[in-house]
Amino acid sequence: MQDLLNQCQHYNVSVRLDAVSGLRELVTTFPEILEKQLAQVMERVSQLMVDKESVIRSALIKLFQQITPLVGVDKMRPFFPVVSAHVCCAMTHIYEDIQSDSLKILDIFLEYYPSLIMDRSSQIIPNFIEQISHQNLTKKSSAGCRSLSIKPGGKIRAHTWRNQVLLRLSKLLSTLVKSSELSGSKGKVEEELKVVWKDEEDVSCTPFPAHYKKLWAFPGLRTR
């Protein structure tokens, strides 16, 4: 295990790939090894979320898919702040393919550790906004005004990318609302959402079409 973890930082792509594949095989064969070395494993492999090689990130996603069913929420909780920090770095990375893979990793954590994601929602939600928009820095723009990002030379078409991001944001917000209803912390959720939404009078944009309102999972929320 220790040799494989050290090889995850090797300069050679093939060595890093073999290390991640070896970890997945080791965890599959001896799942009990995670009991003793979970902290080292999560700290080391999480750094690969921003690896520039797509094959490494694909292997990492498979490794997370193998690890998460084996590790309960309580066991993962002490190490999740470090994992979450790397997720946020990947979500706002300069390379689009790294951002795209970060959404796949977030899907895994949201499936197996929704409560841990909720604890970090105040850091994660703004990253969704950063992925599809940018701050207007012109003098004519009002403070806090944002515009949708358009990347003509990007690997992913703008509308396809926005759809991927908004689907994840919708899933996270739905989980957040459900969690608040169960725990009775609706007020806290409203505070969390303030980082995303402004009051209607502060927003100059076209309202949602009527058919969008019918698709809204929670009609009790105001549509902004």
Side-chain angles (χ1 to χ4, degrees), residues 18-66:
D18 289 342
V20 178
S21 300
L23 285 171
R24 187 157 62 95
E25 182 178 351
L26 188 63
V27 169
T28 303
T29 308
F30 305 103
E32 64 276 4
I33 200 171
L34 289 172
E35 292 283 343
K36 297 181 179 179
Q37 303 196 46
L38 182 60
Q40 291 177 300
V41 171
M42 297 308 299
E43 180 180 1
R44 190 61 56 86
V45 302
S46 293
Q47 299 174 15
L48 297 177
M49 292 185 197
V50 294
D51 195 289
K52 63 181 181 180
E53 300 294 336
S54 60
V55 291
I56 302 296
R57 298 194 305 273
S58 297
L60 177 64
I61 292 173
K62 294 179 180 178
L63 177 60
F64 281 139
Q65 290 173 335
Q66 185 66 35

Side-chain angles (χ1 to χ4, degrees), residues 151-162:
K151 302 177 182 179
K155 297 180 180 179
I156 306 175
R157 291 184 178 181
H159 65 278
T160 302
W161 172 243
R162 292 170 194 162

Side-chain angles (χ1 to χ4, degrees), residues 12-220:
N12 186 276
V13 178
S14 298
V15 175
R16 295 201 305 275
L17 181 59
D18 289 342
V20 178
S21 300
L23 285 171
R24 187 157 62 95
E25 182 178 351
L26 188 63
V27 169
T28 303
T29 308
F30 305 103
E32 64 276 4
I33 200 171
L34 289 172
E35 292 283 343
K36 297 181 179 179
Q37 303 196 46
L38 182 60
Q40 291 177 300
V41 171
M42 297 308 299
E43 180 180 1
R44 190 61 56 86
V45 302
S46 293
Q47 299 174 15
L48 297 177
M49 292 185 197
V50 294
D51 195 289
K52 63 181 181 180
E53 300 294 336
S54 60
V55 291
I56 302 296
R57 298 194 305 273
S58 297
L60 177 64
I61 292 173
K62 294 179 180 178
L63 177 60
F64 281 139
Q65 290 173 335
Q66 185 66 35
I67 290 177
T68 49
L70 301 175
V71 181
V73 176
D74 292 335
K75 294 181 180 178
M76 181 63 71
R77 191 182 304 276
F79 318 116
F80 202 74
V82 174
V83 177
S84 175
H86 286 291
V87 171
C88 291
C89 288
M91 291 180 69
T92 56
H93 201 275
I94 189 173
Y95 293 128
E96 295 177 1
D97 49 352
I98 293 180
Q99 291 186 28
S100 180
D101 286 340
S102 73
L103 298 181
K104 299 176 183 177
I105 295 173
L106 188 62
D107 284 340
I108 298 173
F109 293 145
L110 193 56
E111 177 182 358
Y112 288 96
Y113 309 122
S115 61
L116 302 184
I117 292 293
M118 295 305 99
D119 292 341
R120 298 284 161 179
S121 59
S122 60
Q123 289 87 36
I124 295 175
I125 290 178
N127 291 332
F128 284 115
I129 308 305
E130 291 292 336
Q131 286 183 326
I132 59 176
S133 66
H134 62 272
Q135 190 81 31
N136 286 333
L137 301 178
T138 61
K139 294 182 179 180
K140 295 181 180 180
S141 301
S142 59
C145 184
R146 304 186 69 88
S147 299
L148 287 175
S149 299
I150 301 176
K151 302 177 182 179
K155 297 180 180 179
I156 306 175
R157 291 184 178 181
H159 65 278
T160 302
W161 172 243
R162 292 170 194 162
N163 182 59
Q164 292 180 9
V165 174
L166 292 175
L167 282 175
R168 267 62 175 219
L169 178 57
S170 174
K171 185 177 180 180
L172 190 150
L173 291 176
S174 297
T175 305
L176 187 62
V177 171
K178 290 179 182 178
S179 175
S180 69
E181 290 176 347
L182 294 175
S183 61
S185 56
K186 184 179 179 181
K188 181 180 179 181
V189 173
E190 292 176 349
E191 289 296 322
E192 296 286 353
L193 294 182
K194 285 182 180 179
V195 301
V196 180
W197 310 113
K198 294 182 179 180
D199 290 335
E200 291 164 340
E201 59 269 17
D202 297 332
V203 180
S204 56
C205 61
T206 304
F208 281 131
H211 64 278
Y212 273 32
K213 295 182 180 180
K214 295 180 181 179
L215 297 176
W216 191 253
F218 301 95

